[in-house]
Amino acid sequence: PAAVPSICGMPLKYVSLVTLAVQNALLTIIMHYSRVSTAPSRTYSAAAAVLMNELLKGFISLVIAFVRLDRQEHTPSAPKTTLSISGVTIFKTCHPRNLMSKFRRLGREVFSPDCWKLSIPSILYVIQNNLQYVAASNLDAATFQVSYQMKILTTAAFSVLLLRRKLSFTKWFALLLLAVGVGIVQIQSGAVKITSAASTDVHVMQPLKGFLAVAAACFTSGLAGVYFEMVLKNSPADLWVRNVQLSLFSLLPALVPIIAANASSPVEAAAVASQGCFLTNLFRNFGPWAWATVLIQVFGGLVTALVIKYSDNIMKGFATSLSIVISFLASVALFDFRITFAFTVGSLTVLLATWLYNQPDSSNGKGWKWSRPC
Ligand code: C5P
């Protein structure tokens, strides 16, 4: 049997799981901070961040897919170029004359006739990633994190609709509990003002706007996730090749809000024209926190892929519920987030629902069954 991949002796399955939990919590906190800590007039473009996320994720996935081609090639006699320092192999690749054929092969895989299937989840993910910024700007980190758990509900609904999966009574009950928990958390959410560095310019959070954004993001998350799973499980294509396809199809929808913003804002357009450089303007106000948000999001996309590959969606659910606790505690420490009774009860209800939802079904095999990792 194939060896289970591990890092420093720990199975990659668990490493990716814990990493996803920490990544989820970090993203929630840093994205929120990056949006509300500066005056609205000096904040960065969320659309540019989403575009950068897709570019970086696509590039990294392309490199991984390229490296993995070697493993899939059954040509042990292929000549290799090896770079070694003091006997330690640093870099090992095909002979230069084989590189071109590798590029061509990767190109054929990426632009395979069925690559268009990824266009649907990629558009949905771009919408979701943009909505995440709206939600993070208008809800406190912990409320956003808890509300975002509704994606379990939408994932279940789309799995039943599209994948014809069956849910046990326990799982339906857990879903109901989840909706109740999210509702309770919303009760305590009121308008909060965060004073920015510029005294005249304040960031005012609009909880209703944030909640609508998070609800829509949950809808796209469920649909995109189930659709991606359908594509992944119904073809033998490599996960990283699929990720490259996902990023490629994301580029166009990611550019739409950037172009639309320029077209709808003559002042912006004039500024772009006067300063001459489109990229400089696009990444205006992109400070360290904005870059940190993008990098954590890129990392999250890659870890999500690993969790799907080496673990499964049940584990992904656990990772997300773990991240609630982490971001909740961090919100208390960092943002002076006040623990209300409603928030505590709502969060505990969400956690209980997530735990219940992730309980294995009875062994009669009639209940919900998550697919095996690909
Ligand atoms: O919250 P959810 O699990 O739906 O978030 C998925 C996130 O992971 C999205 O930001 C999406 O762009 C990213 N993703 C990815 N590659 C995949 C699947 C999801 O980058 N194969």
Side-chain angles (χ1 to χ4, degrees), residues 205-226:
M205 290 200 274
Q206 296 169 271
L208 180 64
K209 188 176 171 186
F211 185 65
L212 289 177
V214 90
C218 287
F219 179 86
T220 54
S221 168
L223 184 52
V226 170

Short mmCIF file of all heavy atoms in Angstrom, two decimals, residues 205-226:
data_model
loop_
_atom_site.label_atom_id
_atom_site.label_comp_id
_atom_site.label_asym_id
_atom_site.label_seq_id
_atom_site.Cartn_x
_atom_site.Cartn_y
_atom_site.Cartn_z
N MET A 205 -19.60 49.84 11.04
CA MET A 205 -20.02 48.52 10.59
C MET A 205 -21.54 48.47 10.47
O MET A 205 -22.26 49.02 11.30
CB MET A 205 -19.52 47.46 11.57
CG MET A 205 -18.02 47.29 11.51
SD MET A 205 -17.50 45.73 12.19
CE MET A 205 -17.37 46.13 13.90
N GLN A 206 -21.98 47.82 9.41
CA GLN A 206 -23.42 47.66 9.19
C GLN A 206 -23.74 46.17 9.26
O GLN A 206 -23.57 45.46 8.27
CB GLN A 206 -23.79 48.22 7.82
CG GLN A 206 -23.56 49.72 7.69
CD GLN A 206 -23.69 50.16 6.25
OE1 GLN A 206 -22.72 50.15 5.50
NE2 GLN A 206 -24.89 50.52 5.86
N PRO A 207 -24.20 45.72 10.45
CA PRO A 207 -24.40 44.28 10.66
C PRO A 207 -25.33 43.63 9.65
O PRO A 207 -25.09 42.50 9.23
CB PRO A 207 -24.95 44.20 12.07
CG PRO A 207 -24.54 45.44 12.73
CD PRO A 207 -24.48 46.48 11.67
N LEU A 208 -26.38 44.35 9.23
CA LEU A 208 -27.34 43.74 8.30
C LEU A 208 -26.66 43.47 6.95
O LEU A 208 -26.79 42.38 6.38
CB LEU A 208 -28.57 44.65 8.11
CG LEU A 208 -29.62 44.09 7.16
CD1 LEU A 208 -30.23 42.79 7.71
CD2 LEU A 208 -30.74 45.10 6.89
N LYS A 209 -25.90 44.47 6.49
CA LYS A 209 -25.15 44.32 5.23
C LYS A 209 -24.17 43.15 5.35
O LYS A 209 -24.04 42.32 4.45
CB LYS A 209 -24.40 45.62 4.96
CG LYS A 209 -23.73 45.68 3.60
CD LYS A 209 -23.11 47.07 3.42
CE LYS A 209 -22.24 47.12 2.19
NZ LYS A 209 -21.52 48.39 2.08
N GLY A 210 -23.49 43.10 6.51
CA GLY A 210 -22.53 42.02 6.74
C GLY A 210 -23.20 40.67 6.77
O GLY A 210 -22.70 39.70 6.19
N PHE A 211 -24.36 40.62 7.40
CA PHE A 211 -25.05 39.33 7.50
C PHE A 211 -25.57 38.87 6.14
O PHE A 211 -25.48 37.69 5.80
CB PHE A 211 -26.20 39.42 8.52
CG PHE A 211 -26.86 38.10 8.75
CD1 PHE A 211 -26.16 37.06 9.35
CD2 PHE A 211 -28.16 37.87 8.36
CE1 PHE A 211 -26.75 35.81 9.55
CE2 PHE A 211 -28.77 36.63 8.55
CZ PHE A 211 -28.05 35.59 9.15
N LEU A 212 -26.08 39.81 5.35
CA LEU A 212 -26.55 39.44 4.00
C LEU A 212 -25.38 38.94 3.15
O LEU A 212 -25.51 37.97 2.39
CB LEU A 212 -27.21 40.65 3.32
CG LEU A 212 -28.57 41.07 3.89
CD1 LEU A 212 -29.10 42.32 3.20
CD2 LEU A 212 -29.60 39.93 3.79
N ALA A 213 -24.22 39.60 3.31
CA ALA A 213 -23.03 39.17 2.56
C ALA A 213 -22.59 37.78 2.98
O ALA A 213 -22.26 36.93 2.14
CB ALA A 213 -21.89 40.17 2.78
N VAL A 214 -22.62 37.52 4.28
CA VAL A 214 -22.17 36.22 4.76
C VAL A 214 -23.18 35.13 4.34
O VAL A 214 -22.79 34.01 3.97
CB VAL A 214 -21.90 36.23 6.29
CG1 VAL A 214 -23.08 35.88 7.12
CG2 VAL A 214 -20.75 35.32 6.65
N ALA A 215 -24.47 35.48 4.32
CA ALA A 215 -25.48 34.51 3.89
C ALA A 215 -25.28 34.16 2.41
O ALA A 215 -25.33 32.98 2.02
CB ALA A 215 -26.88 35.07 4.12
N ALA A 216 -25.01 35.18 1.60
CA ALA A 216 -24.77 34.95 0.17
C ALA A 216 -23.48 34.14 -0.03
O ALA A 216 -23.40 33.25 -0.89
CB ALA A 216 -24.68 36.28 -0.57
N ALA A 217 -22.45 34.45 0.80
CA ALA A 217 -21.17 33.72 0.70
C ALA A 217 -21.37 32.25 1.06
O ALA A 217 -20.75 31.36 0.47
CB ALA A 217 -20.13 34.35 1.61
N CYS A 218 -22.27 31.99 2.01
CA CYS A 218 -22.57 30.61 2.39
C CYS A 218 -23.24 29.88 1.23
O CYS A 218 -22.96 28.70 0.97
CB CYS A 218 -23.48 30.58 3.61
SG CYS A 218 -22.64 31.04 5.11
N PHE A 219 -24.10 30.59 0.54
CA PHE A 219 -24.80 30.01 -0.62
C PHE A 219 -23.78 29.61 -1.70
O PHE A 219 -23.77 28.48 -2.18
CB PHE A 219 -25.80 31.05 -1.18
CG PHE A 219 -26.55 30.58 -2.39
CD1 PHE A 219 -27.71 29.84 -2.26
CD2 PHE A 219 -26.09 30.88 -3.66
CE1 PHE A 219 -28.41 29.40 -3.39
CE2 PHE A 219 -26.77 30.45 -4.80
CZ PHE A 219 -27.93 29.70 -4.66
N THR A 220 -22.89 30.54 -2.04
CA THR A 220 -21.90 30.24 -3.09
C THR A 220 -20.91 29.18 -2.61
O THR A 220 -20.48 28.33 -3.39
CB THR A 220 -21.14 31.51 -3.52
OG1 THR A 220 -20.60 32.12 -2.37
CG2 THR A 220 -22.04 32.48 -4.24
N SER A 221 -20.57 29.22 -1.31
CA SER A 221 -19.63 28.22 -0.77
C SER A 221 -20.20 26.81 -0.93
O SER A 221 -19.51 25.89 -1.39
CB SER A 221 -19.36 28.50 0.70
OG SER A 221 -18.69 27.42 1.31
N GLY A 222 -21.49 26.66 -0.59
CA GLY A 222 -22.13 25.35 -0.70
C GLY A 222 -22.20 24.88 -2.13
O GLY A 222 -21.80 23.75 -2.45
N LEU A 223 -22.65 25.77 -3.01
CA LEU A 223 -22.82 25.39 -4.41
C LEU A 223 -21.45 25.13 -5.07
O LEU A 223 -21.27 24.10 -5.74
CB LEU A 223 -23.58 26.51 -5.16
CG LEU A 223 -23.93 26.24 -6.62
CD1 LEU A 223 -24.66 24.92 -6.80
CD2 LEU A 223 -24.78 27.37 -7.18
N ALA A 224 -20.49 26.03 -4.84
CA ALA A 224 -19.17 25.86 -5.45
C ALA A 224 -18.49 24.59 -4.93
O ALA A 224 -17.90 23.83 -5.70
CB ALA A 224 -18.29 27.08 -5.16
N GLY A 225 -18.59 24.38 -3.61
CA GLY A 225 -17.95 23.20 -3.01
C GLY A 225 -18.51 21.91 -3.57
O GLY A 225 -17.74 21.02 -3.94
N VAL A 226 -19.82 21.81 -3.64
CA VAL A 226 -20.46 20.59 -4.14
C VAL A 226 -20.15 20.41 -5.63
O VAL A 226 -19.84 19.31 -6.08
CB VAL A 226 -21.99 20.63 -3.89
CG1 VAL A 226 -22.70 19.50 -4.62
CG2 VAL A 226 -22.28 20.56 -2.41
#
